[in-house]
Structure formats: C-alpha cells, structure tokens
Amino acid sequence: MAERMISGIGVSPGIVIGEVRVRTRQRLVVRPRPLKEGGEGVELRRFDRAVSRTERDITRVGKQVRRRLGAASAGIFDAHLMILKDPMLVDRTRQLIQEERINADFAVLTAMSEIQQAFRRVKDELFRQRLIDVEDVGRRLIEYIQSDADRKRSGDRITDELMLAAEDLSPSEAAELEALRVTAVITEKGSQTSHTAILCRSLGVPALVGVEGVFEHLKEGDLCIVDGNAGELIIDPTPRTILRYTRRQRTLERFNEQLAELYDQDTVTQDGHAVELSSNIELPLELDHVIRSGGKGIGLFRTEYLYLAASSMPDEETQYREYLRAAKAVKPERLIIRTFDLGGDKQPPSMRFPQEANPFLGWRAVRVSLDDPAMFRVQLRAILRASVMPNIQVMFPMISGVAQLRQVLEVLDDVKTELREQGVAFNEDLRRGIMIEVPSAVFVARELAAMVDFFSIGTNDLTQYTIAVDRNNATVAHLYQSTHPAVIRSVAMTVQAAHEEGIWVGMCGEMAGDPAMTAMLIGLGLDELSVSPVILPEIKMLIRQLNLTEARKLAKKVLEMGEVEQIQRVLDQDLRRRVGKDPLWRPKASKQSSQGKSSKGAKRSPRS
C-alpha cells in the first residue's frame, strides 16, 4: 500500500512508530425472547448479578483512577454508578421483565433506549453527550447478562505494546490505557477536552483524536507513525519515512536530555533579566507533569474541569481539598486559581444554559458566576479556606469593565466577612487578579489595574474577540491569527498599563507557548508566561538563550508592522536565526484535511 497521511487533533504529544490494533465496537446483538411460565425470576436474578458485577467493575476502575489521578478524574465513574442505580434504568428494566415478560438483556436495551430518547430531547449539546455514559453502563450490563464469564472477551485483551485505534473510547476504557500497555491512541471522534484527551495527556500516551475517516484507510496490524504534536497519522510509511522519524525520535531523546539539565536552572536571559515561567493545568492529575517540567508554580488552574469531569457541581469540601492538594504540591511557588470559566464550549450537563446564537458572546465566565451567586460563593469559600496555604492566589475570567470587577470583588469581600463571623481561617491578604481577554478590558486596563494585584492575558479569547473570529468555527478558523497586529498591540497596551500602576502582568493563552513568539513577548515586557507543562522546558531554553535588549528591538519592530504575514515571517526568521534552520520547535499547525496525501507533501513534524 502507498504511504498515506491523515490529519487529526493532536491532544497528547509524542512520536510513536508501531503496529496498530483496531478496536471496533462490537454491535450488541440483543433479541427479544418470550419467557416461559415462571421465567421472570430467572431473568431478574440474571439482571441482579449483572448489576452487581457492573458495580464492582466500575468501582474497581474508579478507585484506581482516584488513587493515581485524583478525585476529580474519578468523577466520571461516580456518574456511572449513579446511572447504574437510576430508577429509570434499574426499576424500568425490572418492570419490563415482570410485566412484559421479556429477557433481561432486551429489557436493559429497551430501558437504555428510553433514557437515550429523553436525553436527545434536551437541547443542551453537552448534556446530550451523557448518552456516551449511558451506553457504556448499558453495554457492560448486557455483556454480563449474556455471559457469566469475565466482561472482557479474550479477543479484546492487549498483551503486547501496540497503538490502539478506535471510533472512540469510553471513559472506563480510557482509564485502563496504562494497564493495557497502549503506546498511542487514535480515535475517529473526540476533542481537546474529552476524557480520552485528558487521560492520555496525564498518562503521557501520545494521542490523536478527531481523525475523520480513519477506518477507511486503517486496518488491523498496519504499521503506523503517530505524531501527537503535529496531529498527524502516517499509515504504511515507506522505509525512508520510518528512518526519518526514527532519527527524529533519537534527536528528541537527546534534546529532552539537554532540557532535563535545565530543570533546576532559573529562567533568566543572557543579560540577567528574570522571567517567571509557570504551567497551565486543567485537573490536579497534571501536577506531576508540572513538577517534572521544571517550571515555577501554576499560572492558571482551570477549575471548570473539576465541574465538567463530574456529574454535578463539586461541593465546597471537594473543591477545598483539590485546591489545597495543588497548593501543597507546588509550594512555595504560587498557584493561581481561576474561578469557573463556564459557558461557550464548556457547559456542564447539570447546568441549564440558554440557547444562544453565539454562546461565546453570551452567558459565560464571570457573567455566569455573578448570575449564580450560590455556585460562586461555594467556590470562593473553598478558595479562601484553601488560602491558608499562602501561595494561593485567585483570578477572575472575562472581566469586561470596572463596574463588573467591582461587583466581583464585593462578593469576595462578603464571603470573607461570612468566614470571619464563622471563625474560619483564610488568608486576609489573598492576592487577586483578572484575565485580560476582552478588548474593552484592554482599553480600561489602567483603571482595572488600580483594583487588583496582577493581570494575566488570555490570548485565546482576546484574539477571537479582537478580530471577530470564532476559533471553534471550521469555516473561519483559518482567519484566527495570533500574530494579527491588533492582538499584539493589545498585549503591549495591557503591559504598559499594568506596569504604570505597579502590578505584574503575565500571559496564559496559547500565544505564551508558541516558541516563535517567545522573544517578542519578553521584549514587550511580560513578567510571566504560563504554558502547558509539555512545552515549558523548550520555552525555558529559548528564554535562557535570549538577550533582553535584542528582544526589545524585535518587539519594537513588530509593533511597527501592519500585516500578519509580515509579522509571522519576521518572528520565524528570528527563531531560526537563534536555533537553526530546522528548529525542533514550531507552532502547532491547524487541523487540515489531508487524507490520502503523501508524506512528501506533509508538514514537518514538530518536537514531541
């Protein structure tokens, strides 16, 4: 077969070469079977045994995940147990067996179908995604009913280290990747924030998701190359391609060894200018990666994933424990906890969000928190209680103006008063910051800076709002350009306003982790960069190679330019000048359709 390259979404970095194991989800064969007189009792006992075994199965995997990755990551299995005990499934199944006198597996399938129909009537897309959980639990039940043997068929076991290709992985299957000795994951469905993506990143398993049409080209035993950073899958690579990627793997191994030597080194330029380099995390399970990356603390803890990973809003005690755990893990370095940035593409299934033509311009982030004071106060209480660890700081997302920020701070002060009256300890000097990600905040940055202790620029939203491009809209995604002069000038304006008011300013958006941007950002005066732990060592190496005077000249030159292509060309040339003609670093390419495309015309793969 000719070599083919297919693009997907790279959600966990790394380059892996090997054979692929294709796991196609077997279609459940369930047929109605009329029961003989008195047969209801037999079927009820089969169903009860299946429930017991399924509960034991889910509990076992949930405990493993909770022990290794934390309570937040195990939340999905709590949701599965709730589904397993839901009267809509259990009572309805028993009713169908007794009243309709049908076999247990068909009764479960019928009850599942009724639940799924109810879910499909709910317009909230993320709520409807709970169908995956219902299907996972129902499939386990039916397989146990149909066989008294272990749920996993022998043909599903993986005994050798192999890549795994599947339409999608259920949360429980994703959690078992390490035990199955999987070296890489390829799925036809999925997104950056799916359970598969999060767990693959935490386990260090390279992964591609959203690889559309992959099974038209891929079959069991095919030799493949997975490039988890570039988002590329190469099927039936030629010997020349294999040799090229093998060399790249070795180069990356040597490069990683060099980076490891910087672990204890300060992030400082050649001429002595110190820059704070922090990590972005979504879940506490990523703390090990933060510690191993050699960064200084956490510049962005995206707390909404504690909510999205669970079946309901985490209570005060759960949040308190997670925040405290994270603070202890990185002490004495700071932990910046961002309050829930819900809405847009992050809508928990247990919350009712309005139908909006453009949810990114609607009810999201701090707007949701202010409109749901009970939820907001629970989170603030948890953060304040955890702030007995003095390295904790709090940050509020999507602040658009002075009046809104004043409202937020009034709620914070009110919660402080409540805790004082209850005799609950907290840090009275808790540092407060805001994200600058709305153009209106840029224009009133000086007034906002007078009210808080720090800024963090969220370039993902700032870019899409500044140039009016929905970054999740495939039709216009090619217009999403972080190097747009308006975006860069907004960053410069924000830094200037913050420094004039005597506060520090950082950046936690994707721009901060783009190696081509590093020199320019330091030249613009950013005090801190917060990036993914995966890219942090490279950014540290780049900063240590910089000269601040030269970086300032580069920034000044860029600010005088008016075209995206011109700016990108200058930044790329500067990066190549400092690291070589073929740098290991480069920005992630946007996903492109390239099915059937020869690797000769493919993009160069970046560092893993």
Side-chain angles (χ1 to χ4, degrees):
M1 295 290 291
E3 178 181 289
R4 290 145 290 156
M5 192 276 282
I6 306 176
S7 291
I9 304 169
V11 295
S12 185
I15 295 175
V16 180
I17 304 171
E19 292 185 2
V20 69
R21 169 70 188 274
V22 176
R23 175 178 284 182
T24 55
R25 190 174 288 276
Q26 297 293 321
R27 183 175 177 272
L28 289 173
V29 179
V30 184
R31 297 186 176 89
R33 176 169 48 82
L35 303 181
K36 296 180 180 180
E37 190 67 34
E40 300 92 332
V42 174
E43 294 303 304
L44 287 172
R45 287 192 292 274
R46 290 178 68 204
F47 174 64
D48 290 342
R49 283 197 300 270
V51 169
S52 177
R53 290 172 177 173
T54 301
E55 181 176 5
R56 188 167 61 244
D57 212 9
I58 295 171
T59 302
R60 174 183 57 80
V61 177
K63 284 181 178 178
Q64 291 174 352
V65 173
R66 182 174 281 104
R67 184 173 59 253
R68 290 195 63 255
L69 306 177
S73 301
I76 187 62
F77 301 101
D78 296 333
H80 281 202
L81 289 174
M82 290 175 63
I83 292 170
L84 184 63
K85 297 174 182 178
D86 194 315
M88 289 181 67
L89 178 63
V90 178
D91 293 355
R92 179 58 175 154
T93 298
R94 297 180 68 86
Q95 180 185 24
L96 287 166
I97 293 172
Q98 291 174 311
E99 296 182 4
E100 302 297 330
R101 300 186 65 199
I102 56 176
N103 46 307
D105 46 345
F106 190 76
V108 169
L109 185 65
T110 303
M112 276 176 57
S113 298
E114 292 174 358
I115 296 171
Q116 289 172 325
Q117 286 176 8
F119 274 35
R120 289 190 182 100
R121 285 194 291 269
V122 178
K123 294 183 179 180
D124 188 314
E125 183 60 30
L126 284 177
F127 185 72
R128 290 168 61 184
Q129 287 180 13
R130 282 296 181 190
L131 290 168
I132 297 172
D133 298 333
V134 174
E135 181 181 349
D136 193 16
V137 173
R139 175 176 289 272
R140 286 173 179 265
L141 280 172
I142 290 172
E143 289 180 346
Y144 269 134
I145 289 170
Q146 292 183 342
S147 173
D148 287 331
D150 185 76
R151 184 178 66 87
K152 291 186 178 296
R153 295 178 293 277
S154 59
D156 283 341
R157 293 190 182 279
I158 297 176
T159 55
D160 298 318
E161 292 188 348
L162 291 171
M163 298 183 191
L164 178 63
E167 179 183 5
D168 200 0
L169 293 180
S170 70
S172 55
E173 288 170 331
E176 294 173 329
L177 288 176
E178 190 174 47
L180 295 176
R181 302 174 69 190
V182 172
T183 59
V185 169
I186 309 153
T187 65
E188 193 169 33
K189 298 179 180 178
S191 68
Q192 286 276 4
T193 57
S194 66
H195 295 294
T196 299
I198 292 171
L199 286 170
C200 282
R201 282 196 294 270
S202 67
L203 294 170
V205 176
L208 305 180
V209 302
V211 188
E212 298 174 4
V214 63
F215 295 115
E216 297 174 13
H217 304 275
L218 195 63
K219 65 181 185 300
E220 183 83 12
D222 276 346
L223 183 63
C224 295
I225 299 173
V226 167
D227 188 332
N229 213 18
E232 294 171 353
L233 169 66
I234 301 173
I235 305 170
D236 292 322
T238 64
R240 185 176 179 180
T241 299
I242 293 172
L243 179 61
R244 186 170 73 251
Y245 275 87
T246 300
R247 287 172 175 167
R248 182 165 293 154
Q249 284 179 316
R250 292 170 183 164
T251 300
L252 296 178
E253 288 174 5
R254 291 194 296 270
F255 181 59
N256 284 329
E257 290 172 0
Q258 295 174 15
L259 294 178
E261 296 175 1
L262 299 178
Y263 176 83
D264 293 322
Q265 300 296 313
D266 292 331
T267 308
V268 60
T269 64
Q270 291 284 313
D271 46 351
H273 176 69
V275 179
E276 186 154 351
L277 192 54
S278 308
S279 295
N280 299 335
I281 69 168
E282 296 172 351
L283 290 173
L285 61 90
E286 298 176 271
L287 287 169
D288 285 345
H289 285 197
V290 171
I291 296 167
R292 291 198 303 268
S293 71
K296 295 291 186 183
I298 296 170
L300 173 62
F301 185 175
R302 299 182 176 102
T303 59
E304 58 273 8
Y305 286 93
L306 297 176
Y307 200 157
L308 294 168
S311 58
S312 60
M313 188 186 84
D315 59 24
E316 179 183 328
E317 201 62 30
T318 298
Q319 292 186 59
Y320 164 73
R321 288 196 302 268
E322 296 293 358
Y323 303 152
L324 199 64
R325 172 188 171 197
K328 289 179 178 178
V330 299
K331 71 177 184 181
E333 310 299 342
R334 68 176 158 221
L335 165 68
I336 298 179
I337 301 174
R338 183 179 71 183
T339 57
F340 292 143
D341 184 8
L342 299 169
D345 58 346
K346 293 175 286 189
Q347 301 179 13
S350 58
M351 282 186 71
R352 303 295 302 153
F353 278 79
Q355 291 296 304
E356 299 176 293
N358 190 337
F360 284 97
L361 293 178
W363 199 53
R364 61 166 298 199
V366 76
R367 299 169 182 175
V368 176
S369 295
L370 289 173
D371 287 348
D372 191 342
M375 178 189 73
F376 194 29
R377 293 175 72 89
V378 165
Q379 183 172 34
L380 291 178
R381 282 181 61 93
I383 293 171
L384 284 166
R385 287 176 55 202
S387 73
V388 293
M389 292 293 295
N391 58 329
I392 285 181
Q393 301 180 14
V394 66
M395 179 165 68
F396 304 103
M398 203 178 168
I399 296 294
S400 58
V402 170
Q404 187 183 56
L405 177 56
R406 186 178 295 117
Q407 230 183 322
V408 168
L409 296 179
E410 286 173 356
V411 178
L412 179 63
D413 288 341
D414 189 47
V415 174
K416 285 182 176 181
T417 300
E418 180 179 88
L419 291 175
R420 286 191 203 100
E421 292 173 349
Q422 295 173 352
V424 178
F426 65 91
N427 181 8
E428 292 280 1
D429 298 319
L430 175 69
R431 309 289 282 178
R432 310 168 306 183
I434 63 171
M435 292 192 67
I436 302 293
E437 49 193 339
V438 180
S440 61
V442 174
F443 290 105
V444 294
R446 184 169 286 101
E447 290 83 353
L448 294 171
M451 303 170 67
V452 294
D453 301 301
F454 64 90
F455 284 165
S456 186
I457 303 174
T459 54
N460 299 359
D461 276 332
L462 182 60
T463 300
Q464 76 167 345
Y465 291 141
T466 299
I467 58 178
V469 173
D470 180 353
R471 54 194 164 100
N472 292 319
N473 184 334
T475 306
V476 295
H478 64 287
L479 299 174
Y480 180 86
Q481 299 159 321
S482 298
T483 49
H484 194 290
V487 176
I488 295 172
R489 291 172 192 175
S490 294
V491 172
M493 291 169 61
T494 302
V495 172
Q496 182 179 352
H499 288 173
E500 287 178 354
E501 289 296 325
I503 68 171
W504 67 267
V505 55
M507 179 180 287
C508 58
E510 290 299 315
M511 186 188 286
D514 183 341
M517 300 274 197
T518 302
M520 180 194 67
L521 295 177
I522 302 307
L524 287 174
L526 271 295
D527 301 296
E528 180 244 24
L529 298 179
S530 189
V531 302
S532 166
V534 172
I535 195 69
L536 189 147
E538 289 95 322
I539 300 298
K540 177 186 278 192
M541 178 177 279
L542 282 171
I543 293 174
R544 288 177 57 84
Q545 294 174 346
L546 283 177
N547 177 287
L548 180 59
T549 301
E550 292 181 359
R552 285 174 174 167
K553 288 179 180 178
L554 176 65
K556 184 176 183 296
K557 183 178 181 179
V558 167
L559 286 171
E560 293 171 351
M561 295 177 178
E563 295 186 32
V564 171
E565 293 77 11
Q566 185 184 19
I567 293 172
Q568 188 65 62
R569 184 167 57 252
V570 167
L571 295 180
D572 286 344
Q573 288 172 350
D574 177 73
L575 180 62
R576 290 191 184 95
R577 179 179 61 81
R578 286 182 289 107
V579 302
K581 291 183 179 180
D582 187 19
L584 292 169
W585 313 274
R586 70 169 175 82
K588 291 181 182 179
S590 59
K591 181 182 175 183
Q592 300 175 15
S593 175
S594 53
Q595 295 178 13
K597 179 178 178 181
S598 167
S599 68
K600 291 182 180 179
K603 308 179 287 289
R604 290 197 308 272
S605 295
R607 184 205 174 274
S608 69

